[in-house]
Amino acid sequence: MRIIGYLKQSKLAVALIVVLLIVQAFADLSLPRYTSDLVDVGIQQGGIEDCSPSVMSSDTFNYTCMLAPDDDERLLRSSYEQDSDGNFALNQQGLEQRKELDSAIALPLVVVHFSDQMAESLKGHQKEGSPAFDGAPGVSGDFDLPQLYAAYQAGAISKTQVEEAMAQAQKAFGSIDESLIQQQAIMATKAEYEQLGIDMGAMQMSYLVRLGVQMLGVAALMMIASIAVGFIASRTAAKTARGLRERLFEKVISFSDAEVQSFSAASLITRGTNDIQQIQMVMVMLLRMVLYSPILAIGGIVMVSQTNVSMSWIIVLAVVVIAIIIGILMAVAMPKFKMMQKLIDRVNLVSREMLTGLSVIRAFDRQQYEEERFDKASMALYRTQLFTNRVMAFMMPTMMLVMNAVSVLIVWVGGTYIDAGTIQTGDMIAFITYSMVIVMSFLMIGMIAIMLPRADVAARRVNEVLETESSIADPVQSKAGELDSSAEGLTVQFDHVTFAYSRGSSPVLENIDFTAEPGQTTAIIGPTGSGKSSIIKLVERFYDVAEGSVRVGGVDVRDIKQDELRKELGYVPQKAFLFSGTIGSTIAYSNEAMDEERIRSAAEIAQATEFIDAKAEGMQTAISQGGTNVSGGQRQRLSIARALATDARVLLFDDSFSALDYATDAKLRRALAQNAAGKTVIVVAQRISTVLNADKIVVLEEGKMVGCGTHSELMKTCSTYREIAESQLSEEELKGGDER
């Protein structure tokens, strides 16, 4: 299970949760026993907990000692001491061995207090019509304790005869369960207290208050443990989710365009949000329920075995029924759970496309089509979620039916045991509670078992991203130190470069060979799809070449760490994307601490100060995400200013002047020539006017370099360039370029 693997980083928290869950389970399982004692001892027994009285009269003590076997008599005499009132009170030794004392005193105490009933029982067990001591001097045929004790004291009856009489009494009780004798002994103890004038109401109330305080303490302990588990589990799950999001984001940031496209942006967004949220939610349930349920179930089984083993078959039956129901539901719902994440991906993809391309949708009046497309994706997700929710909704009433049926069965079977005197009412209440605990534990395990596969699917999707290695990797030893730190610009050399976006596909660039020199402007031009933007992407090392090499400052870009390489490059992408913030923060994107003078200077070179100053808030004017609140030309100029504000020694312009009017384009190129004189400038352009005065123009056609030189040279030697130039410029303009 992948989710469990995420918890390896939180071993201490998991161990602490396990300890707290054991404490919570102990408290949870103790309450039914307290409830049982409340009913049996507090109410039925009047607060009397033990068969052995804390104090008894001298007559009762003497009679009990007489009726007990020799070993038990010695135990009794060592456990009681006579007080000033002549009664016998339990001493410290008796308190320490009270369980043994309870067992020893039970039957003799019952005989003492219920001698009339004993006489009737003994008459039914006489041997040859005579009791064990029939005919002894001074003893009549009736079971009269004072008379019997007097004869015993006088030596008329031996201990052996008394033991034989007690054996007959034991035989009379032979058909009665030991627990019933204990209950009778409790009643005898109660009768003894009443004879001594002890306030039974006060004793009962004292017991009830003491037990109530203990129950409150246990409930408070359970509450504290539960709150602590919830806090630690939530914190651990949130911490794990945060770590996963950070790792996922770092991994995606390191991806080349190839990896991003293989997953799709919509899927990566879903994996970083919905999938991790699923993992976090199930992880909380895992720590709170899955770990707790086995502990509670095992504890419940132990407590049931101590309460009444003979009814355990009811719990086994309930667990089997629940397992069958959960198995059926899992078989039905599991395929739908696995499908759900892909359907969420689809909804995100369609939504993202609609929001991004809203203007295009409206322009072509395709609102109805897009609504139907979204509705189709949404309905597929809706039907799947509806099906799984119905299955889950069916499960709970079914489980409640099973639990209620178990309760009725326990009451029915338990009633016969109570009638036979095998258990007391409180024991049956405790058994019902423990049974519900065990059944609920298995129910929780079953519910989690249904949810875990969906979370496991989410974890698998997250791990797919985390385990994907970027096709662009940093070298073990960077050669950035070989770059000339004193040079104002760096050479960019393409050495017989061949490049394809994926293995097996046709090359988009083939045998490209040219050098862009510092202090010069190198322009790249060609028809649409000729591979112009790919040139810039290879310099930035968004992709790696298939053959040949790209060198910056004489060093292969693959031998320089990506962050070190990109510090040397000022990049203006084809699509001028701006992040939300202000105009000032947009230009200073590479360095938040950039001073205002530098920001202003970059804006002036990019010809952006005119529209910036026209705004009321100037540099503090808000920019929305993507720069949608400024025009295309303004967006391009801010994007250019962002690149110029860096310390880059190579400036890369990927068709970055297309939205500018000719006058602004010309001004910008003049300002660039003055302020970036020593830097290496590479310009990708569609317009001949942009590259007309470049020091070197590289002409591409279908991924191949078909020309390289100045405007005048290419007009003579390169037909492709000449066709482009003649299609865009007049004869006069072409001559202007020749007179450069």
Side-chain angles (χ1 to χ4, degrees), residues 3 18 28 89 130 154 177 190 211 341 390 403 422 539 575 657 701:
I3 293 179
V18 170
D28 203 355
S130 299
D177 190 87
K190 185 176 181 181
L211 193 67
Q341 296 306 113
R390 281 172 176 169
M403 292 174 66
T422 305
V539 178
K575 183 179 179 181
F657 307 97
E701 186 174 19

Side-chain angles (χ1 to χ4, degrees), residues 25 42 54 100 107 132 217 230 238 264 283 302 345 360 376 405 478 482 554 568 628 682 684 696 706 714:
S54 298
E100 299 171 12
L107 184 58
S264 84
M283 193 172 288
V302 171
D345 273 355
V360 178
K376 184 179 178 181
S478 177
E482 296 181 13
E568 304 291 349
T628 54
I682 300 177
V684 169
K696 183 185 294 182
V706 294
L714 290 171

Side-chain angles (χ1 to χ4, degrees), residues 16-68:
L16 183 58
I17 286 172
V18 170
V19 172
L20 288 169
L21 287 175
I22 292 172
V23 173
Q24 184 182 347
F26 170 78
D28 203 355
L29 293 169
S30 297
L31 287 175
R33 177 52 57 194
Y34 280 111
T35 304
S36 175
D37 290 342
L38 193 70
V39 174
D40 292 341
V41 180
I43 297 174
Q44 292 185 343
Q45 296 174 191
I48 300 172
E49 300 178 70
D50 302 290
C51 301
S52 51
S54 298
V55 62
M56 54 180 149
S57 66
S58 58
D59 287 341
T60 301
F61 180 76
N62 290 328
Y63 296 157
T64 304
C65 288
M66 175 190 69
L67 296 173

Side-chain angles (χ1 to χ4, degrees), residues 453-740:
R454 183 182 176 190
D456 193 50
V457 170
R460 178 179 58 79
R461 284 159 52 85
V462 171
N463 284 355
E464 277 179 358
V465 179
L466 296 177
E467 291 167 4
T468 299
E469 292 298 328
S470 175
S471 57
I472 307 298
D474 282 334
V476 177
Q477 292 291 333
S478 177
K479 294 183 179 179
E482 296 181 13
L483 298 175
D484 185 358
S485 58
S486 62
E488 194 172 345
L490 298 172
T491 59
V492 176
Q493 181 181 4
F494 275 67
D495 185 7
H496 300 286
V497 168
T498 297
F499 166 69
Y501 279 104
S502 60
R503 289 183 181 179
S505 62
S506 300
V508 293
L509 294 174
E510 192 173 349
N511 197 31
I512 304 299
D513 190 83
F514 71 89
T515 301
E517 300 290 347
Q520 294 184 0
T521 298
T522 301
I524 300 170
I525 196 169
T528 301
S530 58
K532 301 185 297 296
S533 294
S534 299
I535 294 279
I536 301 296
K537 290 176 181 178
L538 290 176
V539 178
E540 280 280 347
R541 208 188 168 207
F542 293 155
Y543 297 92
D544 275 339
V545 299
E547 296 177 15
S549 64
V550 177
R551 295 189 180 90
V552 172
V555 181
D556 194 319
V557 292
R558 291 169 291 190
D559 293 331
I560 307 173
K561 287 185 177 181
Q562 294 174 69
D563 60 335
E564 295 174 336
L565 170 67
R566 288 163 189 162
K567 284 178 182 177
E568 304 291 349
L569 308 175
Y571 175 55
V572 185
Q574 190 172 21
K575 183 179 179 181
F577 182 86
L578 304 180
F579 293 93
S580 58
T582 64
I583 289 177
S585 68
T586 297
I587 297 173
Y589 182 69
S590 62
N591 180 11
E592 293 179 359
M594 189 179 295
D595 59 77
E596 289 188 15
E597 185 179 344
R598 188 168 186 176
I599 295 171
R600 185 81 185 176
S601 174
E604 286 175 355
I605 297 170
Q607 307 303 303
T609 50
E610 183 181 346
F611 77 85
I612 293 173
D613 293 339
K615 295 183 180 293
E617 297 180 19
M619 287 290 181
Q620 298 305 310
T621 302
I623 296 292
S624 61
Q625 183 182 4
T628 54
N629 62 335
V630 292
S631 70
Q634 291 171 345
R635 195 157 54 242
Q636 274 195 345
R637 280 178 277 175
L638 290 176
S639 182
I640 292 168
R642 179 174 61 190
L644 295 174
T646 66
D647 293 322
R649 293 189 279 177
V650 178
L651 299 175
L652 306 172
F653 299 94
D654 186 3
D655 201 12
S656 308
F657 307 97
S658 58
L660 304 181
D661 60 80
Y662 286 98
T664 304
D665 185 355
K667 288 179 185 177
L668 195 155
R669 284 187 284 111
R670 281 198 298 271
L672 194 61
Q674 293 172 3
N675 292 276
K679 296 184 178 183
T680 305
V681 179
I682 300 177
V683 178
V684 169
Q686 296 281 1
R687 297 193 312 212
I688 288 289
S689 59
T690 303
V691 302
L692 197 64
N693 297 315
D695 297 288
K696 183 185 294 182
I697 303 171
V698 176
V699 185
L700 299 179
E701 186 174 19
E702 295 183 357
K704 296 177 182 178
M705 201 169 107
V706 294
C708 182
T710 62
H711 169 73
S712 57
E713 291 171 350
L714 290 171
M715 286 295 292
K716 297 173 184 175
T717 60
C718 182
S719 59
T720 302
Y721 181 81
R722 188 166 53 251
E723 288 173 7
I724 297 171
E726 289 175 349
S727 68
Q728 294 183 17
L729 300 178
S730 65
E731 246 183 83
E732 249 181 70
E733 290 171 321
L734 290 173
K735 287 179 181 177
D738 288 337
E739 295 169 1
R740 174 181 175 272

